[in-house]
Amino acid sequence: MDQSCRGGTGHVPGEFVHRENPADIIPTGWTQLTENRFSVSARWPAAHPFFSPVAGDRHDPVLVAETIRQATMLVAHAEFGVPVEDQFVMWGLGYTADAEALAVSGLSSDIAVDVVFSDLDSRRGSLRNLRSTVVITRDGRYLATGSALARSTSALAYCRIRGERMAALGRPVPLIPGVAPHLVGRERAEDVVLAPGARPGQWQVRINTGHPTLFRRPNDHIPGMMLLEAARQAATMAVGSAAFLPTVMDVSFSRYAELDSPCWVEAETVPTSDPSVTAVRITGRQDDEPVFLCTLTSPLRDLAVAATGLGTRLVG
């Protein structure tokens, strides 16, 4: 192993986090602390065309999900020997973030990620299933906690599992008209991943295979990060405010979302025991089968500030 990759300033190869654009690579290095515990140094982009501030002055909380995803894959590839050619799929992911700690201005973009791995399942000497639990801090202040369930599948086994679906790899997908960007907290039409559905509270996932962040390489199914963004945009529509700040996320995936059939997303607000937050349950279905279930929670205060016109640059 290249020791220069280890520590807070080393280079992290893009193949370790399944990213090609250096601007999309969040980890900057890693150090092994114990057998299954690692410290991952990372940096959130000060300016990014997709992960832009929410509610005017907060880091996009979905960066927490992307940080968990990349930190998990980094250690799996670099330390647990998972081949970079393997298909790495997150079947479950969740986090809880501190809304105040997400403030952008005046704070460092360098963060620390403490990662502990458990439920390690190896087959024929190769790691196949794992659970990662993370604690994220910035300047010594708690930022978020989270966890992920992931599975690694060899390229050969993946082709066998997917079968004829592999023919969709790299096949063009018609880009259908999306909803207005401001309705989902976006400024650019290319970042909209929802199209109108057949009834209120329903939308179709708008697949943009040319999106550099959400569809970073040719794929045979809809990437999980695109589905997460669809869930966030659906929650924003359900609440009716671009200041929706998903400080709590809990998502589970039950199957791959195919490229050649409409994937429908529905959202509804759900009761909570905390009067200071609002929660939205989002479901994804395809061919009458469940694809994902996601619950996103946002502080009500930020929504109220936006409603009174005190919010500044409201983008997703």
Side-chain angles (χ1 to χ4, degrees), residues 3 5 15 55 74 92 107 111 128 130 155 182 186 191 201 205 221 225 261 281 292 294 315:
Q3 295 297 318
C5 291
E15 59 266 27
L74 167 62
L107 295 173
I111 63 174
R128 289 299 174 224
L130 60 86
H182 73 275
R186 287 292 177 182
D191 293 332
V205 176
H221 61 273
M225 283 303 293
S261 180
R281 180 187 298 118
F292 69 87
C294 181
V315 297

Side-chain angles (χ1 to χ4, degrees), residues 134-159:
V134 307
V135 177
I136 303 175
T137 57
R138 179 170 58 162
D139 295 335
R141 178 180 178 180
Y142 163 81
L143 187 61
T145 57
S147 63
L149 289 172
R151 179 179 302 160
S152 172
T153 305
S154 70
L156 183 62
Y158 184 78
C159 287

Side-chain angles (χ1 to χ4, degrees), residues 57-72:
D57 63 347
R58 310 294 174 87
H59 278 293
D60 184 352
V62 179
L63 273 171
V64 175
E66 180 65 2
T67 301
I68 294 171
R69 189 187 74 85
Q70 290 194 23
T72 299

